Amino acid sequence: MSAVDFESFVRDLARISGEAILPFFRSSIGVENKAGKGAFDPVTEGDRAGEAAMRRMIRQTFPAHGIIGEEHGTENADAEHVWVLDPIDGTRAFIAGIPLWGTLIGLARHGRPVFGMMHQPFIREKFWGDGAAARYEGPAGERALRTRACESLSAATIMTTSPKLFDAETIGRYQAVEAACRTYRYGADCYAYCMLAAGHVDLVVEAGLKPYDILALVPIIEGAGGIVTTWDGGPAAGGGRIVAAGDRRIHAEALRLLNG
């Protein structure tokens, strides 16, 4: 499949998932809790409808490809090419009517992320990359994505979805990094990583991520000139404890604090 065909296919995936999800946004949707007693991990019909629509299109076009999705499980995970899907990353924002959520569409080859897109259909924004370059398209037009230089954490803006998502072992380490930064923002889920790729923030630190939470974002960040790893400096595509930075200098500084 040519590059033009691939781009068209991914755009169609984004379009059909958006068409499936948007009728549920800011509506009287039912919310289920996937977590056990005492925890909250919400899922909506929008999540399920968006992922089901993408799965149908992938199966029809690339029947040999594998699929890993948050809502409908794993198919053919040992395939050379595996799509990794999160139909609504930021479900808490979604059910609150706040448009800081997005559809994550990732493609891995031999387990390595080779393409990723974050699509926000309500705002009509797309962020995508292949590890070598990254681009943005939205109401303000289209442009290349590029992270910004930041020589020290003391000048950095850090983001995380919520400090409440860290456990007893990791919260202190996160707080040490946050305290070293100039300022912080919470609550953006996948948007935090895209704002890093766009050069608006400098650092994202999170824990407890699944592959579908991060794999699609890796080629966007790397394509924009940033770096994203686990807290021990390993590959980020498998999820877990993640640190993303627009500048390698503050990535190294954050790793020292996270592992200190």
Side-chain angles (χ1 to χ4, degrees):
M1 189 168 68
S2 72
V4 173
D5 292 333
F6 178 76
E7 182 175 333
S8 176
F9 176 76
V10 177
R11 285 178 173 275
D12 283 344
L13 275 183
R15 176 182 54 79
I16 63 148
S17 63
E19 290 171 353
I21 291 167
L22 279 180
F24 297 96
F25 185 52
R26 295 184 179 172
S27 67
S28 300
I29 58 173
V31 179
E32 296 179 28
N33 184 11
K34 296 188 292 184
K37 186 176 180 180
F40 184 55
D41 185 10
V43 61
T44 72
E45 285 306 309
D47 294 87
R48 296 190 178 106
E51 185 173 321
M54 290 189 286
R55 282 176 176 267
R56 284 193 297 269
M57 187 172 171
I58 292 168
R59 289 191 201 107
Q60 290 167 2
T61 310
F62 301 113
H65 285 196
I67 306 174
I68 297 172
E70 180 174 12
E71 307 306 336
H72 297 293
T74 298
E75 304 174 26
N76 197 19
D78 294 329
E80 178 181 351
H81 292 90
V82 177
W83 295 86
V84 182
L85 310 172
D86 190 348
I88 302 176
D89 184 82
T91 302
R92 289 174 176 82
F94 184 90
I95 63 180
I98 300 167
L100 289 178
W101 54 272
T103 298
L104 296 179
I105 303 169
L107 179 64
R109 184 169 185 253
H110 298 306
R112 178 178 162 275
V114 293
F115 183 85
M117 174 179 282
M118 192 284 267
H119 178 221
Q120 216 304 328
F122 185 75
I123 300 176
R124 302 189 306 280
E125 289 189 319
K126 295 182 180 73
F127 301 78
W128 72 94
D130 63 3
R135 296 197 66 79
Y136 163 83
E137 179 184 294
E142 183 176 339
R143 64 181 177 86
L145 291 172
R146 198 70 194 166
T147 62
R148 68 185 180 189
C150 184
E151 66 180 14
S152 170
L153 288 180
S154 62
T157 297
I158 186 174
M159 295 192 73
T160 195
T161 297
S162 171
K164 292 184 179 294
L165 298 179
F166 293 95
D167 60 21
E169 180 187 355
T170 56
I171 183 60
R173 302 193 216 177
Y174 167 75
Q175 289 172 334
V177 180
E178 183 185 286
C181 293
R182 181 175 62 181
T183 189
Y184 60 88
R185 296 300 301 168
Y186 301 148
D189 292 282
C190 58
Y191 249 102
Y193 297 91
C194 292
M195 292 301 95
L196 185 146
H200 301 302
V201 302
D202 305 292
L203 191 68
V204 183
V205 178
E206 299 199 286
L209 299 191
K210 304 296 184 185
Y212 46 72
D213 295 317
I214 190 65
L215 187 141
L217 296 164
V218 172
I220 302 172
I221 295 165
E222 293 181 344
I227 179 171
V228 52
T229 69
T230 55
W231 289 14
D232 61 5
R241 302 171 182 178
I242 300 299
V243 54
D247 190 309
R248 289 180 178 271
R249 291 172 293 183
I250 62 167
H251 179 265
E253 195 176 347
L255 286 186
R256 286 194 293 272
L257 290 172
L258 291 169
N259 294 288

